[in-house]
Amino acid sequence: MSYPVSRVPVDSLRSGDSPRLGGIDQEHVEALAQSPREFTPILVHRGTRQVVDGMHRLRAAVLRGEREIAVRYLDGPADEVFVRAVAANVDHGLPLTLKDRKAAAERILRTHPTWSDRAIARITDLSPKTVGAARRRSCEEIPQPNTRVGQDGRTRPLDPARRREAARALLAAHPGVPLREVAAHAGISVSTAHDVHRRMQCGEPEPAAARRAAAPAGPAAGPHEVRRSRATVLRRLVNDPSLKLTESGRALLRWLSTQALDIEAGEQLLASVPPHCAVTVADLARSYAQEWERFARELGRAQESAGAWRAG
């Protein structure tokens, strides 16, 4: 909040935490001192008496021999002084250089890691892409939370797809759990929990963007992750009305469930395979895997043919 203009002694003010890497520009101070115009009020943080915006005007007033200067006070926490100084200096007076603004963005990323790239870009007059690049460069030294605070002040999770998956897993395991508890468990809003629940009841898949974001990346998942993923997919199929409400669909579900159980049983029996039989069992497993690959290819071709037929 800004207050009315006050006049205060120039020697009662402190140098601010300036975003200018080069410090005070003495030529600009002298040019201001020679101007006959009265200075616009400078911005001062009330609690610390630090100059938020107007150090060049303050130095020029001292050079003129003036004992007082007009100020507007800024209230708020001290750790916001630098942010306000950056915002105040990007669009008027002696503008910040590109180097100044990039350095300011990196500092704000360290002090406010939850702020979104777009919010910091707006403060520093940079593009969100530039701020995002600075965040990636410094991700090792800057702790990266799982949320971002946008320009509207709302906090949003960075991994909404995985949070929705967590909600699905809880609802599948405990169908009667209250949606508020689901939301708290998965770190999502109650409305999002309701949408996840509705999609599960209707057999609808997650939104395409969420499916892409939830896709595994990087190193291959371990056996425990693979089993959990397989169980999740099976639960989705079991809840699909087009399968569970038809005889052929139910037969397919029974067959798929049996295959999953057989695979898990086989994994548990691996330790009992005698060394002299290991190669033979491995060859047999590969032959089964090849049949599954052929099965998957046939399904893919059928889907492509159906898509081409609909397009035609």
Side-chain angles (χ1 to χ4, degrees):
M1 176 179 179
S2 294
Y3 286 83
V5 177
S6 304
R7 293 195 67 84
V8 302
V10 294
D11 58 6
S12 69
L13 302 176
R14 300 171 54 199
S15 296
D17 190 5
S18 175
R20 300 182 191 279
L21 299 177
I24 296 295
D25 185 327
Q26 191 58 35
E27 290 186 4
H28 187 59
V29 170
E30 293 173 357
L32 288 173
Q34 293 170 9
S35 172
R37 292 181 298 179
E38 184 177 355
F39 300 139
T40 57
I42 67 175
L43 189 62
V44 175
H45 183 249
R46 185 186 295 274
T48 62
R49 308 291 287 181
Q50 282 186 313
V51 176
V52 177
D53 176 41
M55 274 303 301
H56 286 95
R57 280 169 281 165
L58 177 61
R59 292 290 182 87
V62 173
L63 193 59
R64 282 180 177 181
E66 298 177 1
R67 296 185 177 182
E68 293 183 339
I69 191 170
V71 306
R72 290 186 187 276
Y73 283 115
L74 170 71
D75 287 330
D79 60 0
E80 296 296 325
V81 171
F82 180 79
V83 175
R84 291 298 299 267
V86 174
N89 280 278
V90 293
D91 58 0
H92 70 83
L94 184 65
L96 298 176
T97 66
L98 177 60
K99 188 175 181 180
D100 291 336
R101 288 180 281 123
K102 285 184 175 181
E106 291 176 0
R107 177 169 170 179
I108 295 172
L109 280 168
R110 286 192 294 272
T111 57
H112 299 79
T114 61
W115 286 7
S116 69
D117 293 345
R118 194 171 296 278
I120 296 175
R122 185 166 177 262
I123 292 168
T124 56
D125 197 27
L126 295 169
S127 70
K129 185 177 179 180
T130 299
V131 177
R135 191 190 295 273
R136 288 190 294 274
R137 285 196 304 271
S138 55
C139 62
E140 292 185 359
E141 61 181 86
I142 300 174
Q144 297 298 311
N146 291 324
T147 58
R148 287 284 185 273
V149 179
Q151 297 181 70
D152 57 2
R154 294 178 60 188
T155 300
R156 297 175 175 84
L158 285 179
D159 53 352
R162 289 179 176 81
R163 290 171 185 263
R164 291 178 71 100
E165 283 298 316
R168 273 183 170 265
L170 180 61
L171 285 167
H174 306 283
V177 66
L179 292 182
R180 287 190 177 277
E181 186 174 331
V182 174
H185 168 79
I188 57 178
S189 66
V190 176
S191 60
T192 301
H194 176 78
D195 181 66
V196 171
H197 184 244
R198 180 190 63 78
R199 287 176 180 275
M200 289 181 67
Q201 286 186 318
C202 299
E204 295 180 12
E206 286 294 301
R211 291 199 301 273
R212 287 195 297 271
H224 295 296
E225 287 76 9
V226 170
R227 281 194 288 271
R228 282 198 295 268
S229 176
R230 191 162 55 222
T232 300
V233 172
L234 279 172
R235 281 197 296 270
R236 287 183 191 168
L237 292 174
V238 168
N239 288 319
D240 190 323
S242 62
L243 292 175
K244 69 180 182 181
L245 298 181
T246 64
E247 185 58 40
S248 60
R250 288 192 293 271
L252 175 62
L253 291 173
R254 286 193 297 270
W255 180 68
L256 289 173
S257 299
T258 302
Q259 298 300 318
L261 291 173
D262 286 347
I263 290 173
E264 292 181 8
E267 289 175 346
Q268 295 172 4
L269 292 171
L270 282 176
S272 64
V273 177
H276 67 279
C277 296
V279 174
T280 304
V281 173
D283 288 341
L284 188 59
R286 289 191 190 96
S287 71
Y288 290 148
Q290 288 170 359
E291 287 300 308
W292 274 103
E293 283 290 338
R294 185 185 61 78
F295 181 65
R297 285 197 300 271
E298 292 297 327
L299 282 176
R301 291 194 190 100
Q303 184 180 23
E304 290 175 2
S305 298
W309 181 83
R310 286 195 296 269

